[in-house]
Amino acid sequence: MLSILTGVSPLVLIVSQENGTVKAPPRVPPGYRLFWRDEFSGTIGSPPNPRFWNHETGASGWGNNELQNYVKDGEHARIVADPAAVDRKALQIKVTSEGPGKYTSARLQTAGKVSIQYGYIEARIRLPYGQGIWSAFWMLGSDIFNPEVGWPKCGEIDIMENIGKREWWGRNEGSLHGPGYSGADSLHEYIDMPEGVFFKDGYHLFAILWEKDRVEFYVDGKKYRTRTPADIPGKPWAFNRPFFLVTNVAVGGNFPGSPDETTIFPQEMRIDYVRIYRKASDNKPAAVAPGKGKVGGGTGKVLIDGED
């Protein structure tokens, strides 16, 4: 999902994995331990944790001729009760319509707050649906803010990307964008769920296993594509650098097209949790972003939502 980012300082907060006390579930690759997570376990109605998430706002089209206006308010991105979530709470990104061509949504990212280079990254998500609805959970290279780098040289990893028309209700696209292979020419692959299994009807796990010179894409624990520099002979591999997280629901634009008379509003995407695992052998100490307080302190303590 090509993007334009505004008004965010390129700081990085990296938090080390907990020292052996958090056990990864079986789907996590052997030798990986929890590094960071957000369970969205705040008070019902509260915004996503500002220690982790930045709001991006505006109705600029975002490089794709999109129709939505991204806002920061108490309605379009908030913690809600959800009995289907692991802790019975989830992040809701809500999309509303104020009339034809007028849509409001939210877009969140972790630039300057949470960054990672390599690991197993997963999110448990229930997707919105409908013609013109475009949801995504993805990552951008942290040096996108450097005017000598920018997009697509910074790299982009799309872990979950979905357009809500009927034939996509059970389809996910995983993509890599970089210099010479971006937009419609990205390295992309689809996975289709079994007949009758739709992402709108329940939570599913979207993940990557990211190592040096290698990205593997997963849905519900099933690997459906591996990418390496061999896929782009003669072109730069843009994925051996720190990245931050992004999640949003767009409306309209070059990829999905506009909503039509079949599209129902409001729509919502729910995220039960986001978790990042790193190799247990990677013992890099925590780094602290100025003004954010001391987190982790280099002690090996994992940063957990709601803890200090």
Side-chain angles (χ1 to χ4, degrees):
M1 174 175 274
L2 185 153
S3 63
I4 298 172
L5 294 101
T6 57
V8 179
S9 173
L11 301 172
V12 174
L13 172 60
I14 296 180
V15 188
S16 62
Q17 73 278 358
E18 190 170 12
N19 191 15
T21 61
V22 174
K23 301 300 184 183
R27 67 183 172 278
V28 177
Y32 281 74
R33 290 181 179 168
L34 187 62
F35 168 78
W36 173 87
R37 70 184 183 188
D38 193 347
E39 304 289 328
F40 303 110
S41 57
T43 303
I44 301 299
S46 66
N49 192 332
R51 294 173 65 197
F52 302 154
W53 300 98
N54 307 298
H55 287 261
E56 292 191 278
T57 60
S60 61
W62 298 88
N64 302 294
N65 297 311
E66 297 162 27
L67 303 176
Q68 80 286 334
N69 179 29
Y70 288 128
V71 298
K72 178 182 180 181
D73 64 11
E75 178 182 5
H76 291 87
R78 60 183 178 179
I79 307 301
V80 296
D82 188 340
V86 170
D87 64 353
R88 305 182 71 84
K89 295 180 182 180
L91 172 67
Q92 177 196 65
I93 296 182
K94 186 176 181 181
V95 187
T96 57
S97 173
E98 295 74 46
K102 297 180 179 180
Y103 309 100
T104 305
S105 184
R107 172 174 164 133
L108 306 170
Q109 45 94 321
T110 67
K113 296 179 177 180
V114 178
S115 179
I116 186 72
Q117 182 174 344
Y118 310 137
Y120 180 79
I121 299 107
E122 68 173 6
R124 188 171 185 254
I125 310 175
R126 193 182 81 192
L127 302 191
Y129 68 99
Q131 169 58 38
I133 303 298
W134 185 4
S135 55
F137 172 67
W138 48 300
M139 304 176 71
L140 281 168
S142 297
D143 52 0
I144 188 172
F145 304 103
N146 183 336
E148 297 182 0
V149 181
W151 190 92
K153 289 175 67 177
C154 67
E156 174 181 326
I157 304 173
D158 297 331
I159 301 172
M160 181 281 291
E161 189 167 17
N162 179 273
I163 55 176
K165 60 184 180 179
R166 176 63 176 77
E167 53 266 45
W168 277 69
W169 286 1
R171 170 174 289 182
N172 182 62
E173 182 178 41
S175 305
L176 298 181
H177 300 253
Y181 49 101
S182 62
D185 297 321
S186 66
L187 298 177
H188 55 271
E189 186 65 72
Y190 307 106
I191 181 172
D192 288 312
M193 303 300 287
E195 182 67 27
V197 178
F198 301 136
F199 295 133
K200 69 182 184 66
D201 294 335
Y203 282 101
H204 293 266
L205 278 169
F206 302 89
I208 59 168
L209 177 58
W210 173 30
E211 301 174 325
K212 187 176 187 299
D213 293 336
R214 186 179 186 89
V215 181
E216 299 177 357
F217 292 86
Y218 294 81
V219 172
D220 290 340
K222 179 180 179 179
K223 181 170 67 174
Y224 63 98
R225 187 69 188 196
T226 300
R227 294 294 187 181
T228 72
D231 293 306
I232 48 167
K235 297 176 182 178
W237 179 256
F239 311 102
N240 293 335
R241 49 162 50 96
F243 276 62
F244 59 85
L245 303 171
V246 190
T247 188
N248 63 291
V249 183
V251 182
N254 301 336
F255 187 18
S258 297
D260 62 21
E261 67 280 358
T262 69
T263 312
I264 299 170
F265 290 96
Q267 286 290 322
E268 63 177 48
M269 177 170 71
R270 292 197 178 187
I271 306 178
D272 184 4
Y273 58 76
V274 179
R275 297 172 181 172
I276 297 174
Y277 299 82
R278 286 171 60 184
K279 288 184 177 180
S281 58
D282 187 349
N283 292 314
K284 294 178 181 178
V288 179
K292 300 301 177 184
K294 189 174 183 180
V295 180
T299 64
K301 175 177 166 53
V302 68
L303 176 61
I304 304 298
D305 183 24
E307 293 185 356
D308 292 317

